Amino acid sequence: MALLHKATLRPTKLDLLATWLPERQWFAGPAGVEVVSRGAYRFDDPAGEVGIETMLVAAADGPVHHVPLTYRAAPLDGAESWLVGTTEHSVLGRRWVYDGCVDPVYAAALAHAILTGSGQAEQYFEVDGRREVREPTVTVVVDTAADAPVPAVGAVRRVVDEDRTLIDTDTVELVVVRRPGAGFARSAGGTLSGRWDGQPTTVPLAYARTR
């Protein structure tokens, strides 16, 4: 489960992405325009330290981009070039926002979601001591082999950041589709797919396979 806080962020996540996205080689759209959210889904960090959110965003009427983000209370060592920006969270304080593809916590969560078939985390708020579930804005489904082994992912060894971003670890190879629905062929291994408002059919979002 992913606990959310009813809070404000300055700058907002979309403000950060409006500056960061046009610098990515896989971004298809003009610079300097408003970025809008088409939906989002989350994974859970079992340690409860890192926020993991994947956003589907677009500029104007352009294609949707698939952007995993992690939110941390301190900088991630060695990940300076993958920093999306910092934001002030009204409850948690300063957050360092990273492209999740370089974050080992995201890599482990994505591998677990695909290889176990667990998919996205349920999202909820705590309201007066009661749990209030937040309905997801992206419907995620997983296609994976039954009883697939789930090895410890460990460190991220290599990231190749292209239209399909490769995340290479010692035990698992992960692929994040940056522009869903762009006609990519299926990959070997398990698949995480999704649909959202404006995307009526389910399209691949990410793949995982063990070595």
Side-chain angles (χ1 to χ4, degrees):
M1 292 184 176
L3 172 62
L4 308 180
H5 297 275
K6 292 188 174 180
T8 57
L9 285 82
R10 292 190 176 87
T12 68
K13 292 173 280 189
L14 291 176
D15 289 338
L16 293 177
L17 289 175
T19 300
W20 180 80
L21 273 173
E23 298 177 355
R24 306 307 104 192
Q25 65 87 17
W26 42 263
F27 177 71
V33 299
E34 181 182 7
V35 174
V36 297
S37 174
R38 302 300 189 199
Y41 62 96
R42 287 183 177 258
F43 298 138
D44 180 45
D45 171 20
E49 296 294 329
V50 178
I52 310 169
E53 180 179 26
T54 301
M55 299 185 67
L56 284 302
V57 298
D61 294 326
V64 171
H65 297 80
H66 184 221
V67 187
L69 299 173
T70 56
Y71 309 119
R72 288 177 164 266
L76 176 62
D77 289 345
E80 294 82 3
S81 61
W82 298 87
L83 180 69
V84 176
T86 59
T87 186
E88 294 296 328
H89 190 288
S90 61
V91 175
L92 301 175
R94 177 161 294 185
R95 300 281 99 180
W96 278 258
V97 183
Y98 288 94
D99 181 344
C101 291
V102 78
D103 196 317
V105 174
Y106 170 75
L110 178 61
H112 182 270
I114 296 176
L115 296 176
T116 67
S118 59
Q120 65 183 309
E122 182 181 73
Q123 303 176 46
Y124 70 96
F125 298 101
E126 289 285 353
V127 180
D128 298 327
R130 293 179 294 105
R131 180 176 296 165
E132 184 177 293
V133 176
R134 178 183 181 182
E135 292 301 320
T137 53
V138 177
T139 301
V140 167
V141 295
V142 177
D143 176 14
T144 190
D147 301 321
V150 185
V153 171
V156 172
R157 301 299 183 189
R158 180 173 64 114
V159 178
V160 182
D161 193 27
E162 298 177 346
D163 292 353
R164 295 194 347 161
T165 297
L166 170 69
I167 306 169
D168 208 5
T169 78
D170 288 338
T171 58
V172 178
E173 182 180 275
L174 302 162
V175 174
V176 173
V177 179
R178 292 296 197 171
R179 295 199 306 278
F184 294 119
R186 292 177 64 88
S187 293
T191 304
L192 179 83
S193 301
R195 58 182 174 84
W196 54 92
D197 188 25
Q199 175 61 49
T201 60
T202 300
V203 293
L205 299 173
Y207 306 98
R209 66 176 181 180
T210 56
R211 294 192 177 284

